[in-house]
C-alpha cells in the first residue's frame, strides 16, 4: 500500500502516507484553495443569496494556473479560426464562463477542502505516518483535487503534454524545478492508482 491507493472492501480506497507526504498534500491543497479564491458568498460577508444570484466572470483569468483550471469552453481544436469565428468563440466562451465558473470554483474548493479535512482527521501520526481510508464519495473528491493539483503544477512548469513531463523528469538535481516535477509525478501516481480503485 505505501505510495499508492488500494481498494477497500465495499468501496472506497486506502493509502499509507508518511508525515512528509501528508504535509506536502495538505500544503498543496491549501495553496490551491488560495489560488481559486473565495466564492461570492464569502466576498459578500457570508450571504448565501449573493452566491445564488452572482454571475461569474466573463473574461478568462490572467493567471496561467487559473487558465488551466478554468479553460475557455469554446476553442477550435483545429487551430487558429478566422476572425469572425474567433470572435464568436470568445462570445460563447464568455457567456458560458459567466454562468458556470462560480459553480466550478465552488466544486474545486470543496474538493480541496475535503482533502484537507480528511488529512486533518488522521490526527497525530507518530513516526510511521498513517493509513488514510476514504469512502467512495471522498475518493471522488480526492480524485478531483489530485487532478486540479497536477493541472496547477503542470501550468507552473509549463507542461503541455506528457513529453514535457518526461523531459522534466531528467532534470539535474540542482535545477530549482526538480521538487515541483517530483511532486507532479508523485501526484500522478496517486491519481492513477485512485482511478483504478474506482473502476468497477
Amino acid at each position: 500500500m505505501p505510495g499508492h491507493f488500494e481498494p477497500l472492501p465495499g468501496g472506497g480506497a486506502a493509502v499509507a502516507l508518511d508525515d512528509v507526504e501528508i504535509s506536502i498534500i495538505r500544503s498543496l491543497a491549501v495553496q490551491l484553495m488560495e489560488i481559486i479564491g473565495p466564492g461570492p458568498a464569502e466576498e459578500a460577508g457570508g450571504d448565501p443569496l449573493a452566491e445564488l444570484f452572482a454571475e461569474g466572470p466573463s473574461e478568462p483569468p490572467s493567471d496561467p494556473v487559473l487558465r488551466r483550471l478554468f479553460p475557455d469552453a469554446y476553442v477550435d481544436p483545429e487551430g487558429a479560426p478566422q476572425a469572425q469565428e474567433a470572435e464568436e468563440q470568445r462570445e460563447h466562451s464568455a457567456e458560458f464562463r459567466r454562468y458556470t465558473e462560480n459553480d466550478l470554483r465552488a466544486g474545486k474548493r470543496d474538493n480541496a477542502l475535503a482533502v484537507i479535512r480528511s488529512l486533518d482527521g488522521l490526527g497525530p501520526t507518530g513516526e510511521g505516518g498513517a493509513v488514510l481510508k476514504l469512502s467512495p464519495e471522498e475518493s471522488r473528491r480526492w480524485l478531483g483535487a489530485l487532478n486540479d493539483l497536477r493541472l496547477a503544477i503542470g501550468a507552473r512548469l509549463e507542461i503541455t503534454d506528457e513529453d514535457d513531463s518526461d523531459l522534466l523528469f531528467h532534470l539535474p538535481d540542482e535545477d530549482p524545478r526538480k521538487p515541483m516535477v517530483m511532486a507532479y509525478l508523485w501526484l500522478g501516481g496517486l491519481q492513477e492508482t485512485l482511478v483504478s480503485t474506482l473502476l468497477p
Side-chain angles (χ1 to χ4, degrees):
M1 185 183 299
H4 62 273
F5 280 97
E6 292 184 359
L8 287 173
V15 62
L17 298 169
D18 64 31
D19 288 342
V20 172
E21 292 168 334
I22 292 168
S23 176
I24 289 171
I25 296 172
R26 190 185 189 287
S27 174
L28 289 172
V30 168
Q31 291 175 54
L32 181 64
M33 289 186 68
E34 290 171 354
I35 290 169
I36 293 170
E42 289 97 340
E43 290 173 347
D47 180 3
L49 287 177
E51 187 153 9
L52 183 63
F53 293 108
E55 286 188 1
S58 58
E59 294 298 317
S62 57
D63 185 308
V65 170
L66 290 175
R67 273 201 311 273
R68 186 75 61 91
L69 291 172
F70 305 103
D72 276 335
Y74 296 91
V75 179
D76 187 348
E78 301 300 319
Q82 299 295 324
Q84 183 178 350
E85 291 175 357
E87 182 57 31
E88 287 176 3
Q89 285 178 9
R90 277 193 291 275
E91 289 174 7
H92 292 315
S93 289
E95 191 75 1
F96 187 82
R97 186 179 295 279
R98 184 177 298 120
Y99 294 110
T100 62
E101 187 166 312
N102 284 343
D103 287 342
L104 292 172
R105 284 179 182 257
K108 291 178 185 300
R109 271 194 304 274
D110 289 347
N111 289 343
L113 186 58
V115 166
I116 293 165
R117 286 179 173 159
S118 60
L119 292 174
D120 288 349
L122 292 173
T125 62
E127 291 187 22
V131 174
L132 175 70
K133 295 182 179 180
L134 303 174
S135 69
E137 174 59 26
E138 289 170 328
S139 297
R140 285 186 285 277
R141 289 195 173 279
W142 264 74
L143 191 58
L146 288 172
N147 186 61
D148 289 340
L149 289 173
R150 290 194 80 232
L151 286 173
I153 294 171
R156 288 288 185 246
L157 292 170
E158 300 179 352
I159 294 173
T160 56
D161 57 39
E162 285 307 311
D163 290 341
D164 292 337
S165 61
D166 290 342
L167 291 172
L168 288 170
F169 183 73
H170 299 291
L171 289 174
D173 289 343
E174 60 272 14
D175 191 299
R177 296 171 295 172
K178 187 77 172 190
M180 231 187 330
V181 170
M182 299 312 292
Y184 177 82
L185 296 170
W186 172 58
L187 292 172
L190 284 176
Q191 183 182 12
E192 188 177 324
T193 59
L194 184 52
V195 166
S196 69
T197 70
L198 296 173
L199 293 175

